[in-house]
């Protein structure tokens, strides 16, 4: 590769980095600006930094505004969605990878097809189902809703990871007296740890960031998740952008921490799932 081509690629990468990072940098900067400074001449570095935005989010005494309750709800929903998605998707992916049965290929195509359709198509059917089960304004209902659009993607992804594991390991386990289930959870599943982490992180982020389903199915303020709760800070006539951006920063922090802690497994998991034996 010649020098000019290398320089062009480096510049292109730098431009993409700036475009990607700038919105987050501006969000962080705005969260530390006083309200009067936000509407002045744009500046990335605050002239008079303040944490009033964070204080108003965390110490709000408004009856319909409680950041801590929304944080708890988001954690419960996201972690539960991740747990159920991994449980179902790992078994489903293993079955698609290892067993032969009539309609296997059609089932695989159907799972892929569900990812093409917009999630908004599920709103009315899910609303009717949850309403009939008495699960509206219930975190369990929201977990079930999130699991419906998380499981297909996770199942297909896990199938890719299971495909990279030689079937000879299954056969060896069967020879040693293990059944399919025991071979699955004691031998095969531990080998897909990077895949489980990558898939679980996707499920967690999907549940953590989701707004549409939560805003429709959760109509009581004490059942809102963070994206829905913080959106109420945007008023019709005025908005405290410092508080809104402070809340957005606090929503982002858990995901960033998870990426930093799990990046090694995440990268290896994404690469492993792309290779087929």
């Amino acid at each position: 590769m010649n020098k000019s081509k290398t320089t062009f690629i480096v510049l292109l990468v730098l431009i993409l980095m700036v475009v990607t990072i700038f919105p987050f940098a501006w969000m962080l900067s705005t969260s530390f600006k006083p309200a009067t400074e936000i509407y002045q001449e744009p500046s990335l570095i605050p002239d008079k930094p303040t944490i009033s935005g964070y204080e108003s989010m965390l110490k709000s005494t408004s009856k319909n505004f409680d950041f801590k309750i929304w944080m708890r709800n988001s954690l419960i929903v996201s972690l539960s969605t991740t747990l159920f998605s991994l449980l179902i998707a790992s078994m489903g992916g293993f079955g698609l990878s290892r067993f032969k049965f009539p309609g296997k290929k059609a089932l695989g195509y159907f799972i892929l097809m569900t990812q093409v359709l917009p999630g908004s198509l599920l709103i009315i059917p899910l609303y009717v189902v949850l309403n009939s089960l008495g699960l509206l304004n219930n975190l369990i209902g929201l977990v079930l809703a999130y699991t419906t659009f998380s499981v297909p993607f996770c199942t297909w992804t896990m199938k890719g990871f299971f495909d990279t594991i030689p079937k000879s390991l299954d056969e060896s386990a069967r020879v040693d007296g293990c059944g399919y289930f025991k071979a699955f959870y004691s031998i095969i599943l531990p080998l897909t740890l990077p895949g489980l982490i990558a898939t679980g992180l996707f499920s967690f982020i999907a549940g953590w960031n989701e707004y549409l389903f939560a805003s429709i199915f959760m109509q009581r303020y004490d059942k809102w998740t963070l994206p829905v709760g913080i959106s109420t800070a945007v008023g019709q006539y005025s908005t405290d952008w410092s508080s809104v951006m402070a809340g957005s920063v606090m929503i982002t922090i858990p995901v960033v921490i998870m990426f930093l802690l799990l990046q090694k497994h995440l990268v290896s998991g994404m690469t492993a799932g792309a290779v087929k034996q």
Side-chain angles (χ1 to χ4, degrees):
M1 185 180 295
N2 56 48
K3 187 176 180 180
S4 58
K5 192 173 182 180
T6 304
T7 304
F8 173 77
I9 293 175
V10 171
L11 288 175
L12 182 61
V13 171
L14 288 175
I15 292 172
L16 291 175
M17 286 179 59
V18 170
V19 171
T20 304
I21 294 174
F22 181 77
F24 295 98
W26 190 263
M27 176 180 69
L28 183 63
S29 170
T30 305
S31 69
F32 288 104
K33 290 180 179 180
T36 54
E37 187 178 334
I38 292 176
Y39 298 100
Q40 294 176 0
E41 185 177 348
S43 173
L44 191 61
I45 301 176
D47 291 332
K48 299 177 180 179
T50 176
I51 59 172
S52 59
Y54 293 90
E55 290 177 343
S56 64
M57 274 286 164
L58 295 175
K59 299 180 180 180
S60 176
T61 56
S62 172
K63 180 181 178 181
N64 297 330
F65 198 96
D66 197 321
F67 186 90
K68 295 176 183 178
I69 289 180
W70 301 336
M71 173 71 79
R72 181 201 65 190
N73 293 342
S74 287
L75 283 173
I76 292 173
V77 170
S78 301
L79 291 174
S80 300
T81 301
T82 302
L83 178 62
F84 287 125
S85 297
L86 288 180
L87 182 63
I88 299 171
S90 58
M91 292 189 289
F94 182 77
L96 286 173
S97 174
R98 290 299 194 261
F99 300 117
K100 293 182 180 180
F101 52 88
K104 175 181 175 180
K105 185 176 289 187
L107 178 61
Y109 287 140
F110 177 77
I111 292 175
L112 283 177
M113 229 166 60
T114 60
Q115 302 304 299
V116 178
L117 302 175
S120 55
L121 290 179
L122 296 175
I123 291 178
I124 294 178
L126 281 174
Y127 187 93
V128 173
V129 171
L130 295 180
N131 186 42
S132 63
L133 294 175
L135 292 177
L136 291 178
N137 291 312
N138 191 312
L139 296 182
I140 296 176
L142 196 58
V143 170
L144 293 177
Y146 288 174
T147 303
T148 57
F149 64 78
S150 177
V151 164
F153 175 83
C154 294
T155 300
W156 190 257
T157 304
M158 287 305 300
K159 176 188 177 299
F161 292 117
F162 286 121
D163 286 343
T164 64
I165 299 175
K167 293 183 179 180
S168 57
L169 290 178
D170 304 48
E171 297 168 358
S172 300
R174 295 298 302 277
V175 170
D176 291 339
C178 291
Y180 276 114
F181 186 73
K182 187 175 182 181
F184 165 69
Y185 76 79
S186 63
I187 298 175
I188 306 300
L189 195 60
L191 296 176
T192 61
L193 179 61
L196 288 171
I197 291 176
T199 308
L201 195 56
F202 163 81
S203 300
F204 181 86
I205 294 175
W208 186 261
N209 293 335
E210 206 282 327
Y211 171 83
L212 184 61
F213 283 72
S215 64
I216 295 175
F217 300 152
M218 303 289 111
Q219 298 171 359
R220 285 170 42 187
Y221 89 95
D222 59 326
K223 298 296 182 181
W224 287 345
T225 55
L226 281 172
V228 179
I230 290 179
S231 69
T232 61
V234 179
Q236 182 177 1
Y237 300 106
S238 64
T239 300
D240 184 358
W241 288 111
S242 178
S243 298
V244 173
M245 293 303 165
S248 302
V249 170
M250 288 188 283
I251 289 180
T252 307
I253 287 175
V255 178
V256 172
I257 292 175
M258 289 183 67
F259 266 108
L260 293 175
L261 294 176
L262 303 175
Q263 59 179 336
K264 180 181 177 181
H265 296 289
L266 181 63
V267 172
S268 61
M270 293 173 65
T271 359
V275 180
K276 187 173 181 180
Q277 296 287 340

